[in-house]
Tab-separated table of all heavy atoms in Angstrom:
chain	number	residue	atom	x	y	z
O	6	VAL	N	-1.440	8.410	-4.877
O	6	VAL	CA	-2.776	8.999	-5.013
O	6	VAL	C	-2.664	10.317	-5.767
O	6	VAL	O	-1.840	11.175	-5.432
O	6	VAL	CB	-3.422	9.235	-3.632
O	6	VAL	CG1	-4.705	10.056	-3.773
O	6	VAL	CG2	-3.725	7.901	-2.958
O	7	SER	N	-3.473	10.469	-6.813
O	7	SER	CA	-3.542	11.742	-7.530
O	7	SER	C	-5.014	12.079	-7.772
O	7	SER	O	-5.915	11.324	-7.379
O	7	SER	CB	-2.759	11.685	-8.843
O	7	SER	OG	-3.251	10.654	-9.681
O	8	TRP	N	-5.247	13.197	-8.433
O	8	TRP	CA	-6.610	13.721	-8.520
O	8	TRP	C	-6.914	14.198	-9.927
O	8	TRP	O	-6.025	14.589	-10.678
O	8	TRP	CB	-6.787	14.888	-7.540
O	8	TRP	CG	-6.403	14.522	-6.148
O	8	TRP	CD1	-5.158	14.610	-5.585
O	8	TRP	CD2	-7.256	13.949	-5.145
O	8	TRP	NE1	-5.181	14.142	-4.300
O	8	TRP	CE2	-6.461	13.724	-3.993
O	8	TRP	CE3	-8.605	13.618	-5.099
O	8	TRP	CZ2	-6.985	13.184	-2.831
O	8	TRP	CZ3	-9.122	13.082	-3.943
O	8	TRP	CH2	-8.314	12.874	-2.819
O	9	ASP	N	-8.183	14.169	-10.257
O	9	ASP	CA	-8.639	14.769	-11.507
O	9	ASP	C	-9.976	15.430	-11.224
O	9	ASP	O	-10.679	15.080	-10.264
O	9	ASP	CB	-8.761	13.724	-12.616
O	9	ASP	CG	-8.824	14.351	-14.009
O	9	ASP	OD1	-8.567	15.572	-14.126
O	9	ASP	OD2	-9.128	13.626	-14.980
O	10	TYR	N	-10.319	16.383	-12.054
O	10	TYR	CA	-11.570	17.115	-11.886
O	10	TYR	C	-12.108	17.458	-13.268
O	10	TYR	O	-11.341	17.816	-14.175
O	10	TYR	CB	-11.358	18.404	-11.086
O	10	TYR	CG	-12.535	19.361	-11.180
O	10	TYR	CD1	-13.640	19.210	-10.350
O	10	TYR	CD2	-12.559	20.373	-12.142
O	10	TYR	CE1	-14.727	20.064	-10.457
O	10	TYR	CE2	-13.647	21.228	-12.255
O	10	TYR	CZ	-14.731	21.067	-11.410
O	10	TYR	OH	-15.811	21.893	-11.519
O	11	GLY	N	-13.400	17.372	-13.421
O	11	GLY	CA	-14.018	17.794	-14.669
O	11	GLY	C	-15.504	17.504	-14.658
O	11	GLY	O	-15.925	16.400	-14.308
O	12	THR	N	-16.305	18.477	-15.046
O	12	THR	CA	-17.746	18.242	-15.128
O	12	THR	C	-18.109	17.372	-16.322
O	12	THR	O	-19.252	16.910	-16.416
O	12	THR	CB	-18.503	19.580	-15.203
O	12	THR	OG1	-17.909	20.392	-16.236
O	12	THR	CG2	-18.433	20.325	-13.883
O	14	TYR	N	-17.047	14.401	-16.740
O	14	TYR	CA	-17.373	13.102	-16.149
O	14	TYR	C	-18.848	13.064	-15.762
O	14	TYR	O	-19.551	12.090	-16.004
O	14	TYR	CB	-16.520	12.858	-14.901
O	14	TYR	CG	-15.043	12.678	-15.160
O	14	TYR	CD1	-14.134	13.686	-14.844
O	14	TYR	CD2	-14.547	11.494	-15.690
O	14	TYR	CE1	-12.772	13.524	-15.053
O	14	TYR	CE2	-13.182	11.317	-15.900
O	14	TYR	CZ	-12.294	12.342	-15.580
O	14	TYR	OH	-10.949	12.167	-15.798
O	70	GLU	N	-7.454	20.079	-19.984
O	70	GLU	CA	-8.385	20.953	-19.277
O	70	GLU	C	-8.842	22.073	-20.210
O	70	GLU	O	-8.111	22.454	-21.125
O	70	GLU	CB	-7.697	21.540	-18.040
O	70	GLU	CG	-7.331	20.487	-17.008
O	70	GLU	CD	-6.697	21.096	-15.768
O	70	GLU	OE1	-6.541	22.338	-15.733
O	70	GLU	OE2	-6.368	20.339	-14.851
O	179	ILE	N	-23.575	22.189	-10.029
O	179	ILE	CA	-22.737	21.213	-9.333
O	179	ILE	C	-21.247	21.463	-9.481
O	179	ILE	O	-20.449	20.952	-8.692
O	179	ILE	CB	-23.059	19.777	-9.792
O	179	ILE	CG1	-22.671	19.578	-11.258
O	179	ILE	CG2	-24.522	19.459	-9.553
O	179	ILE	CD1	-22.902	18.162	-11.748
O	180	GLY	N	-20.838	22.263	-10.479
O	180	GLY	CA	-19.417	22.506	-10.691
O	180	GLY	C	-18.695	23.034	-9.459
O	180	GLY	O	-17.675	22.465	-9.025
O	181	PRO	N	-19.195	24.111	-8.839
O	181	PRO	CA	-18.533	24.632	-7.632
O	181	PRO	C	-18.537	23.631	-6.473
O	181	PRO	O	-17.582	23.586	-5.691
O	181	PRO	CB	-19.369	25.875	-7.290
O	181	PRO	CG	-20.019	26.270	-8.573
O	181	PRO	CD	-20.293	24.982	-9.286
O	182	ILE	N	-19.597	22.828	-6.376
O	182	ILE	CA	-19.669	21.835	-5.299
O	182	ILE	C	-18.599	20.769	-5.491
O	182	ILE	O	-17.929	20.350	-4.532
O	182	ILE	CB	-21.069	21.199	-5.252
O	182	ILE	CG1	-22.124	22.269	-4.977
O	182	ILE	CG2	-21.128	20.095	-4.202
O	182	ILE	CD1	-23.537	21.821	-5.223
O	183	LEU	N	-18.419	20.321	-6.728
O	183	LEU	CA	-17.392	19.313	-7.011
O	183	LEU	C	-15.998	19.841	-6.673
O	183	LEU	O	-15.168	19.113	-6.122
O	183	LEU	CB	-17.459	18.899	-8.480
O	183	LEU	CG	-18.701	18.103	-8.901
O	183	LEU	CD1	-18.691	17.868	-10.412
O	183	LEU	CD2	-18.770	16.782	-8.153
O	184	LYS	N	-15.743	21.094	-6.988
O	184	LYS	CA	-14.439	21.683	-6.655
O	184	LYS	C	-14.234	21.736	-5.146
O	184	LYS	O	-13.148	21.430	-4.634
O	184	LYS	CB	-14.337	23.090	-7.251
O	184	LYS	CG	-14.129	23.109	-8.761
O	184	LYS	CD	-13.933	24.523	-9.267
O	184	LYS	CE	-13.678	24.533	-10.767
O	184	LYS	NZ	-13.505	25.912	-11.305
O	185	GLN	N	-15.280	22.121	-4.440
O	185	GLN	CA	-15.197	22.197	-2.979
O	185	GLN	C	-14.948	20.814	-2.381
O	185	GLN	O	-14.099	20.653	-1.491
O	185	GLN	CB	-16.498	22.787	-2.426
O	185	GLN	CG	-16.528	22.895	-0.910
O	185	GLN	CD	-17.890	23.325	-0.412
O	185	GLN	OE1	-18.891	22.652	-0.661
O	185	GLN	NE2	-17.939	24.474	0.269
O	186	GLN	N	-15.669	19.809	-2.859
O	186	GLN	CA	-15.504	18.460	-2.338
O	186	GLN	C	-14.150	17.873	-2.711
O	186	GLN	O	-13.585	17.069	-1.959
O	186	GLN	CB	-16.637	17.563	-2.845
O	186	GLN	CG	-18.014	17.959	-2.341
O	186	GLN	CD	-18.098	17.948	-0.821
O	186	GLN	OE1	-17.797	16.942	-0.177
O	186	GLN	NE2	-18.494	19.073	-0.230
O	187	LEU	N	-13.621	18.262	-3.857
O	187	LEU	CA	-12.272	17.838	-4.233
O	187	LEU	C	-11.255	18.375	-3.245
O	187	LEU	O	-10.348	17.644	-2.801
O	187	LEU	CB	-11.949	18.337	-5.647
O	187	LEU	CG	-10.525	18.079	-6.148
O	187	LEU	CD1	-10.232	16.585	-6.228
O	187	LEU	CD2	-10.300	18.745	-7.506
O	188	GLU	N	-11.385	19.620	-2.867
O	188	GLU	CA	-10.457	20.213	-1.902
O	188	GLU	C	-10.550	19.524	-0.548
O	188	GLU	O	-9.528	19.284	0.110
O	188	GLU	CB	-10.749	21.713	-1.762
O	188	GLU	CG	-10.430	22.507	-3.021
O	188	GLU	CD	-10.893	23.949	-2.932
O	188	GLU	OE1	-11.490	24.306	-1.885
O	188	GLU	OE2	-10.666	24.710	-3.889
O	189	ILE	N	-11.763	19.183	-0.124
O	189	ILE	CA	-11.941	18.468	1.144
O	189	ILE	C	-11.279	17.097	1.080
O	189	ILE	O	-10.597	16.666	2.019
O	189	ILE	CB	-13.440	18.337	1.471
O	189	ILE	CG1	-14.045	19.715	1.769
O	189	ILE	CG2	-13.666	17.386	2.646
O	189	ILE	CD1	-15.553	19.705	1.918
O	190	ALA	N	-11.457	16.393	-0.039
O	190	ALA	CA	-10.857	15.074	-0.204
O	190	ALA	C	-9.338	15.154	-0.229
O	190	ALA	O	-8.644	14.307	0.350
O	190	ALA	CB	-11.379	14.432	-1.486
O	191	GLN	N	-8.820	16.156	-0.880
O	191	GLN	CA	-7.360	16.331	-0.928
O	191	GLN	C	-6.793	16.594	0.458
O	191	GLN	O	-5.693	16.130	0.786
O	191	GLN	CB	-7.010	17.466	-1.891
O	191	GLN	CG	-7.233	17.115	-3.348
O	191	GLN	CD	-7.050	18.301	-4.274
O	191	GLN	OE1	-7.373	19.446	-3.921
O	191	GLN	NE2	-6.544	18.055	-5.469
O	192	GLU	N	-7.531	17.313	1.266
O	192	GLU	CA	-7.086	17.565	2.634
O	192	GLU	C	-7.077	16.254	3.431
O	192	GLU	O	-6.155	15.999	4.219
O	192	GLU	CB	-8.012	18.586	3.296
O	192	GLU	CG	-7.510	19.137	4.611
O	192	GLU	CD	-6.238	19.960	4.484
O	192	GLU	OE1	-5.995	20.534	3.392
O	192	GLU	OE2	-5.459	20.006	5.468
O	193	LEU	N	-8.090	15.423	3.231
O	193	LEU	CA	-8.147	14.119	3.899
O	193	LEU	C	-6.949	13.244	3.527
O	193	LEU	O	-6.437	12.486	4.354
O	193	LEU	CB	-9.435	13.385	3.513
O	193	LEU	CG	-10.723	13.736	4.246
O	193	LEU	CD1	-11.895	12.999	3.610
O	193	LEU	CD2	-10.624	13.382	5.725
O	194	SER	N	-6.516	13.355	2.291
O	194	SER	CA	-5.435	12.492	1.809
O	194	SER	C	-4.108	12.765	2.505
O	194	SER	O	-3.189	11.945	2.424
O	194	SER	CB	-5.258	12.665	0.293
O	194	SER	OG	-4.716	13.934	-0.020
O	195	LYS	N	-4.014	13.881	3.195
O	195	LYS	CA	-2.768	14.198	3.895
O	195	LYS	C	-2.552	13.304	5.107
O	195	LYS	O	-1.429	13.154	5.582
O	195	LYS	CB	-2.772	15.668	4.327
O	195	LYS	CG	-2.768	16.654	3.157
O	195	LYS	CD	-2.830	18.093	3.659
O	195	LYS	CE	-2.852	19.087	2.501
O	195	LYS	NZ	-2.941	20.500	2.986
O	202	LEU	N	-8.505	6.259	2.461
O	202	LEU	CA	-9.140	7.349	1.725
O	202	LEU	C	-10.344	6.842	0.943
O	202	LEU	O	-11.401	7.478	0.928
O	202	LEU	CB	-8.125	7.994	0.783
O	202	LEU	CG	-8.541	9.284	0.085
O	202	LEU	CD1	-8.881	10.368	1.098
O	202	LEU	CD2	-7.428	9.761	-0.841
O	206	LEU	N	-14.121	8.267	1.426
O	206	LEU	CA	-14.807	8.949	0.327
O	206	LEU	C	-16.027	8.183	-0.167
O	206	LEU	O	-16.991	8.780	-0.655
O	206	LEU	CB	-13.835	9.174	-0.836
O	206	LEU	CG	-12.642	10.090	-0.550
O	206	LEU	CD1	-11.743	10.177	-1.774
O	206	LEU	CD2	-13.107	11.488	-0.131
O	222	VAL	N	-6.265	7.386	-9.177
O	222	VAL	CA	-6.714	8.755	-9.436
O	222	VAL	C	-8.141	8.887	-8.915
O	222	VAL	O	-9.050	8.191	-9.384
O	222	VAL	CB	-6.672	9.090	-10.937
O	222	VAL	CG1	-7.111	10.542	-11.159
O	222	VAL	CG2	-5.280	8.852	-11.505
O	223	PHE	N	-8.351	9.760	-7.941
O	223	PHE	CA	-9.686	10.002	-7.390
O	223	PHE	C	-10.323	11.194	-8.105
O	223	PHE	O	-9.678	12.225	-8.312
O	223	PHE	CB	-9.606	10.267	-5.890
O	223	PHE	CG	-9.333	9.036	-5.068
O	223	PHE	CD1	-8.074	8.791	-4.544
O	223	PHE	CD2	-10.335	8.114	-4.833
O	223	PHE	CE1	-7.814	7.660	-3.791
O	223	PHE	CE2	-10.099	6.975	-4.070
O	223	PHE	CZ	-8.831	6.746	-3.550
O	224	ILE	N	-11.615	11.033	-8.434
O	224	ILE	CA	-12.344	12.041	-9.205
O	224	ILE	C	-13.707	12.265	-8.547
O	224	ILE	O	-14.465	11.302	-8.364
O	224	ILE	CB	-12.555	11.572	-10.665
O	224	ILE	CG1	-11.211	11.191	-11.309
O	224	ILE	CG2	-13.261	12.640	-11.489
O	224	ILE	CD1	-11.356	10.344	-12.567
O	225	PRO	N	-14.053	13.489	-8.153
O	225	PRO	CA	-15.350	13.715	-7.506
O	225	PRO	C	-16.504	13.640	-8.498
O	225	PRO	O	-16.406	14.108	-9.636
O	225	PRO	CB	-15.206	15.133	-6.938
O	225	PRO	CG	-14.219	15.803	-7.849
O	225	PRO	CD	-13.258	14.730	-8.276
O	226	ALA	N	-17.605	13.026	-8.062
O	226	ALA	CA	-18.812	12.904	-8.888
O	226	ALA	C	-20.025	13.147	-8.000
O	226	ALA	O	-20.126	12.577	-6.914
O	226	ALA	CB	-18.894	11.526	-9.540
O	227	TYR	N	-20.933	13.967	-8.458
O	227	TYR	CA	-22.090	14.383	-7.658
O	227	TYR	C	-23.212	13.354	-7.695
O	227	TYR	O	-23.768	12.985	-6.671
O	227	TYR	CB	-22.593	15.727	-8.202
O	227	TYR	CG	-23.679	16.388	-7.400
O	227	TYR	CD1	-23.367	17.299	-6.394
O	227	TYR	CD2	-25.030	16.138	-7.663
O	227	TYR	CE1	-24.362	17.934	-5.665
O	227	TYR	CE2	-26.031	16.770	-6.942
O	227	TYR	CZ	-25.699	17.669	-5.944
O	227	TYR	OH	-26.691	18.292	-5.225
O	245	VAL	N	-10.969	6.292	-10.053
O	245	VAL	CA	-12.053	6.040	-9.107
O	245	VAL	C	-12.899	7.301	-8.957
O	245	VAL	O	-12.429	8.314	-8.432
O	245	VAL	CB	-11.510	5.608	-7.732
O	245	VAL	CG1	-12.675	5.380	-6.761
O	245	VAL	CG2	-10.653	4.356	-7.850
O	247	PHE	N	-15.714	9.042	-7.000
O	247	PHE	CA	-16.338	8.888	-5.691
O	247	PHE	C	-17.496	9.870	-5.530
O	247	PHE	O	-17.467	10.985	-6.047
O	247	PHE	CB	-15.316	9.094	-4.565
O	247	PHE	CG	-14.727	10.484	-4.490
O	247	PHE	CD1	-15.302	11.457	-3.685
O	247	PHE	CD2	-13.586	10.812	-5.209
O	247	PHE	CE1	-14.761	12.742	-3.596
O	247	PHE	CE2	-13.031	12.083	-5.125
O	247	PHE	CZ	-13.616	13.053	-4.324
O	248	GLY	N	-18.530	9.422	-4.820
O	248	GLY	CA	-19.689	10.271	-4.582
O	248	GLY	C	-19.322	11.493	-3.766
O	248	GLY	O	-18.824	11.372	-2.656
O	249	ALA	N	-19.602	12.662	-4.325
O	249	ALA	CA	-19.180	13.905	-3.678
O	249	ALA	C	-20.342	14.862	-3.454
O	249	ALA	O	-20.137	16.073	-3.382
O	249	ALA	CB	-18.098	14.591	-4.539
O	250	ARG	N	-21.541	14.333	-3.329
O	250	ARG	CA	-22.685	15.201	-3.043
O	250	ARG	C	-22.803	15.384	-1.540
O	250	ARG	O	-22.918	14.401	-0.797
O	250	ARG	CB	-23.972	14.590	-3.599
O	250	ARG	CG	-25.186	15.505	-3.431
O	250	ARG	CD	-26.392	15.013	-4.218
O	250	ARG	NE	-26.986	13.801	-3.689
O	250	ARG	CZ	-26.910	12.603	-4.263
O	250	ARG	NH1	-26.233	12.456	-5.391
O	250	ARG	NH2	-27.487	11.550	-3.729
O	251	PRO	N	-22.787	16.614	-1.031
O	251	PRO	CA	-22.926	16.852	0.401
O	251	PRO	C	-24.229	16.257	0.933
O	251	PRO	O	-25.244	16.204	0.232
O	251	PRO	CB	-22.933	18.382	0.505
O	251	PRO	CG	-22.201	18.846	-0.712
O	251	PRO	CD	-22.572	17.872	-1.787
Side-chain angles (χ1 to χ4, degrees):
V6 171
S7 58
W8 306 88
D9 197 11
Y10 166 84
T12 50
Y14 293 106
E70 295 182 359
I179 66 177
I182 299 167
L183 291 175
K184 286 184 178 179
Q185 179 187 59
Q186 295 301 305
L187 175 62
E188 293 172 359
I189 293 172
Q191 289 173 325
E192 191 65 26
L193 278 174
S194 70
K195 295 178 181 179
L202 189 59
L206 296 178
V222 182
F223 286 103
I224 306 163
Y227 187 92
V245 179
F247 64 92
R250 185 169 70 252

